[in-house]
Amino acid sequence: MMLRYLGSTKNLTGCVGGLVGVVLYLTGVVGWFWPFVVVALYLAGALLAPGEKVRLVPDTSASLRSSLETLVSSVVAQSSRLPASSVDAVRRIAEVLSDLLSHPDRLAADPDLQHAVVRLAGTDLPLSVQTYLNLPWWFAARRVGAGEELVAQLGLLETEAHRVAERFYATEIDRQADHTRYLRDRDA
């Protein structure tokens, strides 16, 4: 705890304030009461400096990316039990989500977007695949709709993942469109 404070913004700003107090003493601006000035400037700097960022929700991006990799590996290993198109769908969805999770600071800036990505990667995709794989193979093979359900779920999840990615990259998309307009206007 003490080591953390020593490297904090508040302590460093307070130290700068204290050094200003020492410089004021050395230049003769303050007299015999210089220790009080140093302490007062340290406290002012420490109190006015911005605090460290508080994260109420822990950053789970790395663990979710690892979970997605594990899920894809499991799906590939169980590919004989899954409908043919589902393996590729899981890969595509995991690729989109993993890309979004590789930018944890940008996700943290938009809590709604972060919630959507965490829900897709941590709950929805694993639940769809796990529910299907928890069916006995003989039951899933006999039940005509089980594979179709999984494919339908994965289609919905892929659509949602792309919709979330559109929101995530909206600024870049707008910037690219602006640049295209600029280039067209420049040639005209």
Side-chain angles (χ1 to χ4, degrees):
M1 177 80 166
M2 184 63 166
L3 288 176
R4 178 186 253 168
Y5 178 75
L6 291 175
S8 72
T9 306
K10 289 191 168 291
N11 182 48
L12 295 175
T13 306
C15 288
V16 169
L19 284 174
V20 168
V22 171
V23 168
L24 290 174
Y25 170 71
L26 293 175
T27 58
V29 175
V30 294
W32 61 269
F33 54 94
W34 70 270
F36 300 108
V37 172
V38 169
V39 170
L41 288 175
Y42 173 85
L43 290 174
L47 291 174
L48 294 176
E52 302 299 319
K53 286 186 178 181
V54 175
R55 292 204 183 254
L56 297 177
V57 178
D59 180 22
T60 58
S61 297
S63 64
L64 279 174
R65 286 175 70 198
S66 175
S67 296
L68 282 172
E69 290 173 10
T70 303
L71 177 68
V72 170
S73 298
S74 298
V75 166
V76 168
Q78 299 280 338
S79 63
S80 62
R81 289 195 51 207
L82 295 165
S85 62
S86 62
V87 175
D88 290 333
V90 169
R91 278 188 181 134
R92 289 190 307 267
I93 296 166
E95 185 178 325
V96 170
L97 295 175
S98 185
D99 180 60
L100 298 176
L101 289 166
S102 68
H103 305 284
D105 292 337
R106 283 188 57 196
L107 277 177
D110 187 345
D112 290 335
L113 192 63
Q114 182 180 29
H115 174 70
V117 172
V118 168
R119 186 187 67 233
L120 278 168
T123 304
D124 295 341
L125 181 59
L127 183 64
S128 292
V129 174
Q130 184 178 0
T131 302
Y132 181 82
L133 289 175
N134 283 341
L135 293 173
W137 68 268
W138 55 268
F139 183 79
R142 287 190 58 207
R143 188 167 182 272
V144 176
E148 293 169 2
E149 281 297 323
L150 177 62
V151 171
Q153 289 174 5
L154 293 175
L156 293 169
L157 292 174
E158 187 170 6
T159 300
E160 186 176 355
H162 284 288
R163 189 172 44 246
V164 169
E166 287 278 334
R167 282 180 39 208
F168 185 81
Y169 290 113
T171 304
E172 285 81 4
I173 292 168
D174 292 343
R175 188 176 298 138
Q176 186 178 26
D178 290 344
H179 190 65
T180 302
R181 276 191 298 279
Y182 163 74
L183 293 173
R184 285 187 181 140
D185 291 345
R186 188 173 74 179
D187 284 343

